[in-house]
Amino acid sequence: QVQLVESGGGLAQAGGSLRLSCAASGLSFSNYAMGWFRQTPGKEREFLATIGWSGRYTNYADSVKGRFTISRDNAKNTVYLQMNSLKPEDTAVYYCAGGAGVPSGLSYEYKFWGQGTRVTVSS
């Protein structure tokens, strides 16, 4: 059974940092692209970042480029999202997505999803 388990969400102040982790099990992790998305009430799910199977290719949404960094450790079956220079508008539920054949910013390309972790950024 494939499972993605997220951790690292919580409360941060504007300008601060958080590091999200997503540990995968039941998946041939290194064969697939991974991604991070977020969602706020009443809004569509927003693409943040994606990373290819080897970790050498990454792509970011303009809203987080230069502030967020996606990485992966295939030996640990884990993908990370380092979030720096946080802003109040970064407040959302953050979702780890896995099982994409190629790196993608489209949510429907991902076969598996984590439960979501809440991030709140205060001003």
Side-chain angles (χ1 to χ4, degrees), residues 4-6 15 17 24 26 33 35 48-49 54 59 78 82 88-89 91 96 100 107:
L4 305 180
V5 180
E6 298 165 312
S17 298
L48 299 176
S54 71
N59 191 39
T78 301
Q82 178 68 46
E89 51 263 45
T91 296
C96 175
S107 61

Side-chain angles (χ1 to χ4, degrees), residues 6-10 18 20 35-48 68 81 83 87-97 113-121:
E6 298 165 312
S7 61
L18 286 173
L20 306 182
W36 287 95
F37 294 74
R38 68 186 180 192
Q39 191 166 22
T40 56
K43 297 183 179 180
E44 294 185 349
R45 190 173 302 174
E46 178 187 7
F47 165 72
L48 299 176
F68 291 10
L81 187 68
M83 304 186 295
K87 305 174 181 180
E89 51 263 45
D90 294 320
T91 296
V93 178
Y94 284 68
Y95 295 93
C96 175
W113 293 83
Q115 79 284 358
T117 185
R118 295 183 183 273
V119 171
T120 302
V121 183

